[in-house]
Amino acid sequence: MIKKSKQKAESKFTFPKTPTGVEGLDEITEGGFPKGRPTLICGGAGCGKTLLSMQFLIKGITEFNENGVFMSFEEPIKDLALNVRSLGFDLNQLIEDKKLVLDYVRVERSEIDETGEYDLEGLFIRLGYAIDKIKAKRVVLDTLESLFSGLDNEAILRAELRRLFYWLKEKGVTAVITGERGEASLTRQGLEEYVSDCVILLDHRVIEQVSTRRLRVVKYRGSTHGTNEYPFLIDETGISVLPITSLKLDNEVSSEIVSTGVKGLDGMFNGGGFYRGSNILISGTAGTAKTTIASYFAYEQCRKKERVIYFAFEESPQQLVRNMKSIGLDLAPYLKNGALQIHSSRPTLNGLELHLLTLRKFIKEFAPTTVIIDPISNLITVGSEHEVRSMLVRLIDMLKLHNITALFTSLNKTGDSLRVDIAEESVSSLVDTWITVRDMEGLGERNRGIFIVKSRGMSHSNQVREFIITSKGVDLLDVELGPNGILTGIARKSNQIRKKAKALKIQSELEWKDREIMRKRKALEANIEALRNEFESVEEELNLLKSTQAFSAKEASINNNKVKTKKK
């Protein structure tokens, strides 16, 4: 019984952690940095070590009421405060409020006389005073290499490092120590990563002229953590990390139907549109009206007071608004009232992961119900097939998690119709609804057709519908069948003319038959009238004969009676 109680108590134990406040990082570390222990943040120049550690302090003060000390060995206080002010961090105000202590320690190799008695007592006293002054719970030392730049004796260096980390643990502060990347190790000295309880590696790489920053948790004593590389973004709000690699398929679903915005297209779905929170792919070659259909969907959602984000990789917002106005869609009022946001950029502006991170940031800030990406195929230019698929899987999982209705367009190549495009192949099995628009050429003309490849959970039409774009918008035409299949364009019109002529001919023949029957009816009625008159004449003659005969018989009877009377 005691053993079971002990096991139950152990199962409830949670490793004490200090939340970083950095978006996404707490998810990766499953709660933050180890509380009361040192964490090492290492990486090359320009990867964001100082910014991440400073953000850890600022978030601790502003969100968790934990004061902090930042001790710099490289940048003076004025420079440090100025560098982070552009990110919205007002260090001077926090110092005035006695919530933050900034200290700059200048270390010169020429001033250091390396002996066996070299130690960090002076630093401990200075740092301890700053911690006690504001009762700090968080400490940052930036960077460790500058502190030990005057030491060449590895034994002394190792001993002092261990003493520093032990001293920080004794003070009970959650410490972040930054270190520069070494050639064959995580740090230049190659010792810090072994004595740290948690090690975060930052990396800034450039692949095919596109830069991407990535973060990885190398180790975390006493706790599980994400082990993959995660992209992170530095913008005007600081650092944000994208922790999404794979999500459980347990998101909520909705049975609500949202209209496509195109009346004829709604009619092709048994439900009259898409399920809310579903993902839709519209694929097709250039010029098949993918953007037009996507804009119709955006317009319809805005009209119903939904919030829409439109990511355009080919057109500027002004160009998109102008082009759609020519077919009767005026998106400008919705841009003005804030219901619609259009973000335009070239795919090569960022790497795939940063595009995903930027999109996630916009979604969090704007809280849209609908997201449109036009086209996702352009992302292939900044990543391999595996990277594109990985990014799209994460994107779709993220949108489903927030129950956001998403519409993607994908440009197909016209050169090889047998080869499926990478973007289409990557996303077609993931989306809930797949619509294809294509060219239908014949009789020297080009027409557009649309059909539904699949729609999960909803029956739909299996017909290929021709559609036209006019100044009044998109109009889906009724299916016109000919001897060799569906007719479009001139063939459709010719067939309609033939059908009309045939109908007119049939109508004319019917009318002639009606007149012929009328004439025969009249002739028949005339014959019937003549026969009736003849019958009446014969009948009258017969009646006359009968009357004469009756009169004659009566007269004869009277004469006979007279004769009999005379004889008597």
Side-chain angles (χ1 to χ4, degrees), residues 506-517:
I506 293 173
Q507 183 65 27
S508 178
E509 290 178 354
L510 288 173
E511 290 176 355
W512 180 83
K513 288 290 185 183
D514 286 340
R515 290 193 298 271
E516 184 70 17
I517 289 173

Side-chain angles (χ1 to χ4, degrees), residues 1 23 49 119 121 158 177 313 317 326 342 350 370 397 413 448 454 477 481 486 501 510 515 545:
M1 185 69 181
E23 183 180 0
K49 301 184 297 298
D119 58 38
E121 279 301 328
R158 184 183 292 272
I177 301 166
F313 291 136
S326 66
I342 302 177
N350 292 311
T370 303
D397 285 345
K413 297 178 181 178
R448 297 182 178 96
K454 72 172 183 178
L477 305 178
L481 296 175
I486 296 176
L510 288 173
R515 290 193 298 271
L545 289 173

Side-chain angles (χ1 to χ4, degrees), residues 553-563:
K554 185 176 181 182
E555 186 178 11
S557 178
I558 291 172
N559 290 334
N560 289 333
N561 290 333
K562 285 181 178 182
V563 173

Side-chain angles (χ1 to χ4, degrees), residues 242-290:
L242 183 66
I244 302 173
T245 51
S246 61
L247 298 173
K248 295 180 180 179
L249 298 177
D250 57 358
N251 55 286
E252 295 182 2
V253 296
S254 172
S255 298
E256 182 185 351
I257 299 296
V258 293
S259 172
T260 65
V262 181
K263 185 177 180 181
L265 186 56
D266 282 345
M268 296 181 70
F269 293 93
N270 187 52
F274 311 129
Y275 284 122
R276 180 178 293 279
S278 61
N279 303 115
I280 304 99
L281 172 67
I282 300 177
S283 63
T285 54
T288 49
K290 299 181 298 298

Side-chain angles (χ1 to χ4, degrees), residues 287-455:
T288 49
K290 299 181 298 298
T291 299
T292 300
I293 296 174
S295 298
Y296 257 93
F297 184 55
Y299 180 85
E300 178 67 15
Q301 298 311 300
C302 290
R303 193 178 66 83
K304 292 184 176 179
K305 298 182 180 180
E306 303 278 353
R307 297 169 68 84
V308 180
I309 291 184
Y310 195 119
F311 292 93
F313 291 136
E314 292 182 338
E315 296 177 283
S316 66
Q318 297 81 0
Q319 185 179 2
L320 182 64
V321 171
R322 182 203 65 188
N323 293 347
M324 292 305 107
K325 198 169 184 179
S326 66
I327 61 172
L329 292 181
D330 191 2
L331 299 174
Y334 300 115
L335 280 171
K336 189 175 181 180
N337 66 20
L340 173 65
Q341 285 188 0
I342 302 177
H343 298 280
S344 298
S345 65
R346 290 296 181 189
T348 51
L349 178 66
N350 292 311
L352 284 172
E353 302 293 358
L354 286 188
H355 276 298
L356 181 56
L357 189 58
T358 303
L359 190 146
R360 179 173 180 261
K361 180 175 178 290
F362 283 134
I363 289 175
K364 183 177 181 181
E365 293 175 353
F366 187 63
T369 57
T370 303
V371 169
I372 297 172
I373 301 179
D374 177 34
I376 58 171
S377 49
N378 279 22
L379 297 173
I380 297 174
T381 59
V382 290
S384 64
E385 180 177 352
H386 173 73
E387 291 172 333
V388 170
R389 180 173 177 80
S390 175
M391 181 267 191
L392 292 176
V393 168
R394 294 189 227 182
L395 172 61
I396 290 175
D397 285 345
M398 179 180 67
L399 294 171
K400 281 186 174 293
L401 181 65
H402 294 88
N403 198 31
I404 295 174
T405 308
L407 187 146
F408 314 111
T409 68
S410 178
L411 176 65
N412 293 346
K413 297 178 181 178
T414 56
D416 186 3
S417 59
L418 297 178
R419 184 180 181 275
V420 181
D421 289 276
I422 294 176
E424 185 180 277
E425 183 181 17
S426 299
V427 76
S428 59
S429 62
L430 302 173
V431 296
D432 302 301
T433 300
W434 183 7
I435 299 172
T436 295
V437 284
R438 67 182 188 186
D439 291 326
M440 297 187 293
E441 298 183 4
L443 300 178
E445 65 175 3
R446 173 176 169 270
N447 301 289
R448 297 182 178 96
I450 185 170
F451 67 96
I452 302 171
V453 180
K454 72 172 183 178
S455 184

Side-chain angles (χ1 to χ4, degrees), residues 79-99:
D79 294 343
L80 188 63
L82 184 62
N83 292 343
V84 299
R85 192 172 182 83
S86 61
L87 300 174
F89 302 155
D90 190 353
L91 301 187
N92 294 326
Q93 184 61 47
L94 295 176
I95 293 172
E96 290 179 9
D97 295 338
K98 295 182 179 180
K99 294 182 177 181

